Amino acid sequence: DIQLTQSPSFLSASVGDRVTITCRASQGISSYLAWYQQKPGKAPKLLIYAASTLQSGVPSRFSGSGSGTEFTLTISSLQPEDFATYYCQQLNSYPRFTFGPGTKVDIK
Amino acid sequence: EVQLVESGGGLVQPGGSLRLSCAASGFTFSSYEMNWVRQAPGKGLEWVSYISSSGSTIYYADSVKGRFTISRDNAKNSLYLQMNSLRAEDTAVYYCARESVWGSYRHFDYWGQGTLVTVSS
């Protein structure tokens, strides 16, 4: 099974900061990676798929990059509504699409 | 507007059963593959089960194989998860999620609000 790790697990940042979250896969997954945002008590929300394609309606301050085993999610200028937990998901080993452990972004 | 609404969660004793439902609207349900994903309290997301658009292909996570059964009724725009032999470790919020494909790239683009299953005596 493909395992995903995320770093950091927890991140404290201020409004306006540039934030980068890394997701690493235990084996190459090409660009079969998605990113989700989850706020407390809410369902996950798709941000990015195919490693770098922004989902419709998602602000352009979110971007994704990477391929193979290393991927990044970048928030160019953190907004108050972006404080949440972020998960990566590999969609290479169909259909057992595992998730990373999550990165919580908190207010400094 | 795409909507997925789960129901059927609740408190059940270890060894008991529960059937979750997910009512879909706002899209052609029969054209989409669907999944169940769960999240234990304070934990991350865990993929549980997949069903193809026709219902002919089904997969399960090892943690629920042999105990859970996914199904769908395309005439009723509904997805189901029959959960038997429930264990304390099955306690979680259960989400249904629509799977979309762009080229060869899949993703879960819509999620329900979740339904809480608590397994406890």
Side-chain angles (χ1 to χ4, degrees):
Chain A
D1 286 4
I2 298 174
Q3 309 298 323
L4 297 176
T5 58
Q6 288 183 235
S7 59
S9 302
F10 178 85
L11 186 161
S12 185
S14 301
V15 172
D17 283 353
R18 180 181 182 89
V19 168
T20 298
I21 299 168
T22 299
C23 177
R24 292 186 175 87
S26 59
Q27 61 190 77
I29 58 171
S30 185
S31 297
Y32 295 103
L33 190 101
W35 289 97
Y36 300 86
Q37 176 194 66
Q38 187 180 34
K39 297 180 180 180
K42 300 294 186 180
K45 173 188 173 184
L46 176 68
L47 298 176
I48 286 168
Y49 60 94
S52 61
T53 302
L54 199 65
Q55 170 70 349
S56 176
V58 174
S60 59
R61 63 181 179 271
F62 291 93
S63 64
S65 65
S67 67
T69 61
E70 188 158 328
F71 302 85
T72 59
L73 172 70
T74 299
I75 309 172
S76 60
S77 178
L78 198 66
Q79 297 303 300
E81 60 268 30
D82 300 337
F83 292 96
T85 299
Y86 294 84
Y87 295 94
C88 57
Q89 180 196 28
Q90 66 82 18
L91 299 108
N92 181 74
S93 60
Y94 178 85
R96 295 178 176 83
F97 298 146
T98 49
F99 294 87
T103 295
K104 185 175 181 180
V105 177
D106 210 344
I107 302 172
K108 182 182 285 184
Chain B
E1 179 193 6
V2 171
Q3 280 200 311
L4 298 169
V5 180
E6 301 95 337
S7 60
L11 175 64
V12 61
Q13 292 188 336
S17 298
L18 215 52
R19 188 195 197 205
L20 306 184
S21 298
C22 171
S25 61
F27 65 102
T28 305
F29 180 70
S30 59
S31 296
Y32 286 85
E33 297 154 83
M34 298 294 296
N35 294 266
W36 287 98
V37 177
R38 69 183 181 182
Q39 186 171 37
K43 302 298 184 182
L45 301 168
E46 179 188 15
W47 171 81
V48 173
S49 185
Y50 157 94
I51 188 167
S52 62
S53 57
S54 66
S56 61
T57 302
I58 285 171
Y59 295 101
Y60 300 99
D62 290 343
S63 57
V64 307
K65 197 177 300 181
R67 301 187 299 121
F68 289 13
T69 302
I70 190 172
S71 63
R72 66 190 296 161
D73 185 336
N74 286 341
K76 294 184 177 179
N77 292 334
S78 292
L79 175 71
Y80 306 101
L81 187 67
Q82 176 67 44
M83 303 186 296
N84 298 331
S85 303
L86 283 162
R87 306 166 180 166
E89 54 265 36
D90 295 319
T91 294
V93 174
Y94 285 74
Y95 297 100
C96 61
R98 189 180 85 166
E99 184 173 322
S100 284
V101 183
W102 177 73
S104 62
Y105 295 99
R106 298 175 176 271
H107 43 280
F108 294 1
D109 59 349
Y110 285 94
W111 298 62
Q113 85 289 350
T115 188
L116 176 63
V117 172
T118 303
V119 184
S120 174
S121 55

